[in-house]
Amino acid sequence: MCIGLPGRVTKVDGERAVIDVAGVARRISISLLLLEGTDVAPGDWVLASAGLAIRCMSEQEAHELLDEYVQRKGDWEAVTNLVETMGINAK
């Protein structure tokens, strides 16, 4: 099972982007969105899974999804730990 996490785009470099997911920087591919003709810019929110941005989303939708994760996991620290175990750091 894959889980999609909302992240705010902080940097775009060609078909790659860095997103902030619950305070953790992640490098992802935005190639799927670009192939669909969707422009991605810093400040945009995307839903990312397995290192790939799968769709754009509103900031409100992103916060609602993060709140849902907090409710299911019990606290914000648990969500942050989940994020840190997924993907690769954007170092």
Side-chain angles (χ1 to χ4, degrees), residues 2-9 17-21 26-33 36 38-41 43-69 82-83 86:
C2 293
I3 186 170
L5 294 170
R8 187 179 53 82
V9 177
V18 176
I19 60 172
D20 179 298
V21 181
R26 296 280 176 231
R27 187 180 324 227
I28 62 167
S29 170
I30 56 172
S31 59
L32 178 62
L33 299 178
E36 294 176 338
T38 302
D39 291 326
V40 179
D44 289 347
W45 286 85
V46 297
L47 184 65
S49 181
L52 180 66
I54 55 178
R55 70 178 179 90
C56 289
M57 61 192 329
S58 70
E59 182 174 3
Q60 178 180 347
E61 185 180 12
H63 286 288
E64 288 171 358
L65 185 55
L66 286 170
D67 288 345
E68 175 83 17
Y69 289 145
L82 171 67
V83 171
M86 301 174 69

Side-chain angles (χ1 to χ4, degrees), residues 9-24:
V9 177
T10 59
K11 180 181 178 183
V12 175
D13 183 17
E15 293 187 355
R16 309 282 300 166
V18 176
I19 60 172
D20 179 298
V21 181
V24 179

